[in-house]
Structures are given as C-alpha cells and as structure tokens.
Amino acid sequence: MSDTTNTHPQLTGAEILWATLAGEGTTTVFGYPGGAILPIYDALRKFPTIHHVLVRHEQGASHMADGYARASGRVGVCMATSGPGATNLVTGIATAMLDSIPMVAITGQVSSKVLGSDAFQEVDITGITLPVTKHNFLVTRAEDIAATVRLAFQIATSGRPGPVLIDITKDAQQASAAFDFEAAAPPKARPHPMLGTALTAHSPAIREAVAMISASARPVILAGHGIMQSGAEAEVLAFAERLGIPIASTLLGLGAIPAGHPLSLGMMGMHGESWVNHAIQEADLLLAFGMRFDDRVTGNLAHYAPHAKKIHIEIDPSEISKNVRVDVALVGDLKAVLQTLLPWTGADAQARRPWLDDIETSKGTVAVRDIQNLPDNGHLYAAHVINDIWREAVAAGREKETVIVTDVGQHQMWEAQYFKHEAPRSLVTSGGLGTMGFALPAAIGAKFACPGKDVWVIAGDGGFQMTAAELSTIVQEGLAINIAVINNGFLGMVRQWQEAFYDKNYSASPILSPDFVMLAQAHGIAGAHVSQREYVTETVTKARTSGAAFLINFQVEKEDGVYPMIAPGAALHEMVRRPHQDPLLETAEDA
C-alpha cells in the first residue's frame, strides 16, 4: 500500500472525480451546486481545463448534456446535488435513455452513515432512475470513484449508447485515496450474451440477407438514429447507391442521408410524407438500419408493410422482433455489418429503376410542399417560418453548418417537413420521450459542442416557457444562439388532436404567454416580433449575423395543423389530409 501511495498522488474523492473526468476528455459540465455536492464544487477550481456551466434548473443541465452529446457524438456530463437536485435530472435522463444518448449524470448524496435515515435532502436516486438508465452506481468510498467514472463512460458509449448515473456520498467526496487513472480503466466491454460471434461473410444470416436483397424488386431502407450513432453514413449511402434502394428516414434519422440525395424519400410515419408511407406499404423488402419500429413509425402493426420481408440490422438484441417480427436479424454494429454485407451484394441499381420511377410518380403534386410559391394571403404560418429559416441558411451557404434544436409539438413536425437536413447531427430533438422544454437547454449544449455552427432553437410558445429561465444561462455564457418561438397561442399539437378526435373541445390547450421579446430583453437578449411573411427572412438574417443571442417571436396562424397525419389505430397508408376548407397548401396537399 505504501508503494502505491508514494507513486500516485493522494487526492480527495472530489478531486479524483474531476481528474477522472478530465482524463476521459470531458471539457464541459452542466450543473447546479448544493449541500451534498459542495466538496465536488470546491475542488473544481483545481481543474481549469473543465468549464462548468451554471444552469437555472437541474432539468436544464440534463438537457444541455443531452444536446451536447447529440450534436457532438461525445459523452455529455451533468451534475446536481441530492434530493430535489437529483430528481430534477430525471426527465432529462429519461429523454436520453429513450433516444440512446451517451450521458453521465453525477449526483451528490448524503453521507453514508445516514443513508436510509431520511436525512435532509436524501432520496434514493439510484432506485428512482433504475428504469431510465443503462446502469447506475452508488459510491460510498473515495477509492471507488475513478474506476466507477471510467466504467460509467464505457457503459454510456458501448453497444447501444445511453445514460449512466453515479451517486456519490458526501463522505466519499471528502475522504482521500490514491489516484491512478490508468489502473482505474475498466475491463474491455463484454459483448451482449445474445450477440454471439461476430457476423462474417459466411454467417448464415448474412447469406440469407444477401439472397433476400437480390430477390427483391421493391426494397426500402428505413434509416434510423443508429446510423449516426454508428458513424455509418457513408456505408448506408454506398449500400443504397450500389443497389438502387430508396431511403426513408425516421425523425431522429433525418440528416444521416442528405435530404437532397436522389434516393432520399423523406420522413416516414405519423406525420411523414404520403409517398414515403405508401412506398413502405407497397415494398417487398424492408431493410431497417438502426431503428426500432417505434409506434409513430409503423401505425397499426396488423397492417404494417404486409407484403414485405424484413431485415433488421440492430446493435441491441432486445429490439429484434420486439414490435415487428423480422425475417432476418443481423445483430451488431451497423457500420461493421454493412462493411461485411456490401461486398456480397450485386451492383444492380438499374434493375430497381422501375420501382424508383413508381415512387416518383406516386408523389404527384403532393410533393409540391414548397409553400414559398403559394400566394401570401396575409397570414403567417409556421411552415413559412421554418422553410424561410432553411432558405436563408442555404442562401448564406450555411445549411451544413446549421444545427436546429426543436422542442416537441407541431413545430417539431413542421421542422422535419420543411427544413431539409443535409448533414448528420444537424437536427437535435426529443423523439422517444417527446419532452417539452427540451429545446432551449439542449441548444446550449449543442452550441458548446459546435461553437462554430449556427444553432437555432425552434420552440412552441408552450414548451419554451417550461425552460425559459435558461435564457440567463445563454447570457452568462456569452452564447450566440438564435431562438425562434412559434407562437400560436395554443398547445398546438394538443389542440390539433382535440380538433380531430375530441369534437373541438379545446380543454386546457389555449395558453397565455408573456411578451417573449420583452422577456428576452429582461435577460439581456435582443429580439423582434414578426407577424408578416415579408419580414421573416430579413429578421432571420439579422439574428444569424448579430454575433449574439437573438429571439424572434413569430406570431403565426392559431389553428393551423400538421398534415398529413395518421390517426391512432390507423394503418400507415391511411393518412388524414389537410381539410379542404383550409386554404394553406390545399393545392399542394390535396391535389
């Protein structure tokens, strides 16, 4: 023991935490101090390579870490004190869990000698977060901190990524121990027991998949978030081009394949393009790449892709045939599996030209989503705003250097429809949990991850108010973040469902908002109101080029809806179109 002590420095548990985070490459941590984590905050001054961002609410810290991870592909780190500080992280942890985001959350805990006594601000945060973390730890000894942190990073990033929580008692933070970063390295990650041996060209599943692909005349690739998690964008595109297979994207898969690519069909699912959903329903083979057949993607499972065989490439064995029964499962990292599969597939893109032509024909005039060309009837629609933000970015040559961070609701779906994502990780949004209040703090994380990119918040008036206090975090950190509030005076998606399925009983969906521009100014952020189409682009340019944070309140049509949409219980092809009495896009949507 004495040799170890002489060779390696004695540090407090708090110092060991920061030293280990630095060793793992952490440069930014989002958090909020409190009694049970004060030793950690006291030690922060000794680690100048790590920048701490003081949030205004712990939920904001978890969303910032999430946004940082989504925009960068690196692990996001957040921290909070015990009790309410820890529980305020839970929504953000759950958001990261459902979307497979690598995140490490660190919480302070009461001293080990009073654990279980209902001490002040004591809560069993490991028990609370057990269902929404990949793994969590309670650390009661300084000696265990380094190894636990390094293992947490490994768990968060290996296999299917996800959040890990580390709860550290106050006495463990204050005690001292020898610090040896290298000795604290975890063993090599063990493969999931269901993975078995790695797939090779001779694996029966690979051979079966090759035969299925060769026999298909009407295949469709379903491109999910796993493409970006795997870094397999180039492999997916090479596969699709070699075989002439069109690509439909999930919400979180947008940007994995450039929207302008000839094989890119657009978004599938509840608010996806009609021709995309029809292509899936008419396909004879679906190739699911890093997606999990979420219910918002499939519609009624009994009628989902009834003529199609299904090949699923997925790193998480538990997702295989969980929602949709598949014919061939290729379990493993998508990039590695495609590298194995591609050499054995024939280059027969021309053979599928008739299928691609059929899809193109099926678009008809429904594909004319370009609302720019429709008459300006004096009303400002959210679709106008989002399309103009995209067009302004294109005109400035910044479309691949723009990250859009959305909240959840109608504006989120309009963004997916009207902003054409050409680059991976250019859309940051909450998919599985659908977390309102996500956008503003997540954009702060995204800006720290990508300081040279233009970061836009697109949020509704309801969700924006949930985390609006983080405007002061933006100012304190000097961040140039552009904020577009799509203000329609309603909880828009709730109102649309009430209109469609609850006889227009708008119960608790009208929402009063403050003057958002004055609110921004109170925090020290400039802003502008826009209610007419002609002023959208010039105001967007002003925001983007201001060099500082800027908020635009877009006063849009109150009772606009997101179309097409699939009603609950309906099949993927049974889409509800825009009502004929609605003049917006009537020509385009209903032709």
Side-chain angles (χ1 to χ4, degrees):
M1 180 66 69
S2 59
D3 290 340
T4 301
T5 303
N6 291 332
T7 305
H8 303 291
Q10 285 281 318
L11 303 179
T12 65
E15 292 167 341
I16 289 172
L17 172 68
W18 290 115
T20 310
L21 289 174
E24 290 288 344
T26 302
T27 57
T28 309
V29 172
F30 308 92
Y32 202 98
I37 202 170
L38 275 182
I40 288 173
Y41 274 85
D42 183 59
L44 173 59
R45 57 193 163 85
K46 299 179 181 179
F47 297 87
T49 62
I50 297 179
H51 178 66
H52 179 272
V53 177
L54 175 64
V55 304
R56 297 312 185 262
H57 189 284
E58 292 91 351
Q59 182 179 340
S62 56
H63 291 326
M64 289 177 203
D66 183 326
Y68 179 94
R70 292 182 199 244
S72 68
R74 301 187 295 272
V75 177
V77 180
C78 59
M79 61 175 53
T81 193
S82 63
T87 57
N88 281 342
L89 294 176
V90 172
T91 297
I93 293 170
T95 301
M97 183 66 178
L98 266 70
D99 289 347
S100 304
I101 305 303
M103 186 166 81
V104 171
I106 298 161
T107 53
Q109 183 55 277
V110 300
S111 292
S112 56
K113 63 179 178 293
V114 295
L115 278 174
S117 69
D118 292 332
F120 177 67
Q121 291 192 333
E122 179 190 1
V123 73
D124 179 11
I125 194 61
T126 54
I128 289 170
T129 59
L130 188 64
V132 293
T133 52
K134 275 189 76 175
H135 196 71
N136 61 32
F137 301 90
L138 172 61
V139 182
T140 60
R141 302 190 326 144
E143 294 89 338
D144 299 328
I145 290 176
T148 302
V149 171
R150 298 207 65 185
L151 180 57
F153 271 73
Q154 182 191 77
I155 293 171
T157 55
S158 61
R160 180 180 180 175
V164 179
L165 180 133
I166 308 170
D167 196 33
I168 308 174
T169 62
K170 192 169 184 178
D171 54 329
Q173 300 170 39
Q174 294 170 320
S176 296
F179 174 64
D180 184 347
F181 182 79
E182 297 302 329
K188 186 177 180 182
R190 292 178 296 173
H192 192 287
M194 291 179 63
L195 281 172
T197 57
L199 291 167
T200 69
H202 303 291
S203 300
I206 290 287
R207 293 202 301 267
E208 191 175 355
V210 169
M212 233 177 241
I213 294 165
S214 298
S216 68
R218 302 187 309 280
V220 175
I221 290 171
L222 309 181
H225 189 208
I227 294 174
M228 286 173 280
Q229 300 285 42
S230 174
E233 296 90 345
E235 285 76 12
V236 171
L237 205 53
F239 183 91
E241 289 173 343
R242 180 183 178 90
L243 297 165
I245 301 178
I247 305 167
S249 296
T250 67
L251 173 65
L252 294 187
L254 292 173
I257 301 302
H261 193 281
L263 291 174
S264 177
L265 299 181
M267 187 174 72
M268 66 180 96
M270 178 173 277
H271 292 292
E273 310 289 5
S274 59
W275 64 86
V276 180
N277 289 341
H278 279 296
I280 291 170
Q281 293 297 81
E282 295 168 8
D284 63 4
L285 177 66
L286 297 182
L287 297 115
F289 289 176
M291 54 87 71
R292 58 187 179 88
F293 292 105
D294 177 78
D295 60 288
R296 292 297 174 102
V297 160
T298 63
N300 189 319
L301 287 173
H303 303 286
Y304 179 67
H307 313 296
K309 292 184 176 180
K310 300 167 184 77
I311 298 172
H312 195 179
I313 305 179
E314 171 61 47
I315 199 165
D316 184 354
S318 69
E319 292 293 343
I320 301 296
S321 294
K322 184 176 83 174
N323 297 324
V324 172
R325 190 191 68 81
V326 300
D327 299 278
V328 175
L330 301 176
V331 181
D333 177 75
L334 178 62
K335 185 182 182 84
V337 171
L338 286 177
Q339 288 172 344
T340 300
L341 185 63
L342 187 59
W344 298 95
T345 55
D348 49 0
Q350 282 306 115
R352 297 191 175 90
R353 189 70 253 172
W355 170 230
L356 297 174
D357 291 341
D358 286 347
I359 295 173
E360 190 64 30
T361 301
S362 75
K363 293 181 182 180
T365 54
V366 178
V368 186
R369 277 196 171 277
D370 191 353
I371 59 174
Q372 306 294 119
N373 297 327
L374 294 179
D376 186 347
N377 59 8
H379 298 275
L380 181 63
Y381 292 92
H384 285 153
V385 172
I386 291 163
N387 198 242
D388 285 353
I389 290 174
W390 170 72
R391 284 179 174 273
E392 197 275 347
V394 171
R398 299 287 293 174
E399 68 270 29
K400 291 186 179 181
E401 298 301 318
T402 298
V403 177
I404 303 292
V405 187
T406 82
D407 221 84
V408 171
Q410 287 180 313
H411 64 275
Q412 179 188 32
M413 296 297 101
W414 280 314
E415 196 286 341
Q417 292 175 340
Y418 290 101
F419 194 103
K420 298 173 175 59
H421 289 274
E422 300 291 336
R425 302 187 183 277
S426 60
L427 172 60
V428 172
T429 192
S430 170
L433 198 63
T435 305
M436 291 178 67
F438 173 82
L440 188 64
I444 293 172
K447 188 65 175 178
F448 272 103
C450 307
K453 292 187 177 181
D454 298 330
V455 174
W456 276 92
V457 171
I458 296 182
D461 45 335
F464 180 76
Q465 292 185 71
M466 289 186 172
T467 51
E470 302 303 341
L471 289 171
S472 278
T473 307
I474 290 174
V475 174
Q476 185 165 344
E477 294 295 333
L479 302 175
I481 293 175
N482 309 306
I483 303 161
V485 180
I486 309 300
N487 188 349
N488 62 6
F490 280 99
L491 303 178
M493 192 63 86
V494 174
R495 186 212 60 77
Q496 181 170 338
W497 278 55
Q498 288 171 331
E499 177 184 350
F501 309 119
Y502 295 92
D503 298 322
K504 296 188 177 181
N505 176 22
Y506 297 148
S507 176
S509 57
I511 185 169
L512 178 67
S513 298
D515 182 318
F516 288 121
V517 173
M518 290 184 68
L519 178 65
Q521 289 172 348
H523 285 272
I525 295 174
H529 291 285
V530 175
S531 58
Q532 293 178 283
R533 180 75 188 285
E534 61 184 300
Y535 300 116
V536 172
T537 299
E538 65 182 58
T539 312
V540 166
T541 301
K542 181 179 179 180
R544 185 182 57 78
T545 58
S546 70
F550 198 98
L551 182 146
I552 311 172
N553 175 53
F554 290 104
Q555 201 72 47
V556 299
E557 190 69 13
K558 285 182 175 292
E559 297 190 57
D560 191 15
V562 182
Y563 296 99
M565 71 174 290
I566 299 169
L572 196 61
H573 59 280
E574 296 173 335
M575 286 160 285
V576 177
R577 300 299 179 86
R578 182 174 292 277
H580 284 277
Q581 66 271 22
D582 189 334
L584 178 67
L585 297 184
E586 183 174 341
T587 304
E589 295 279 3
D590 295 296

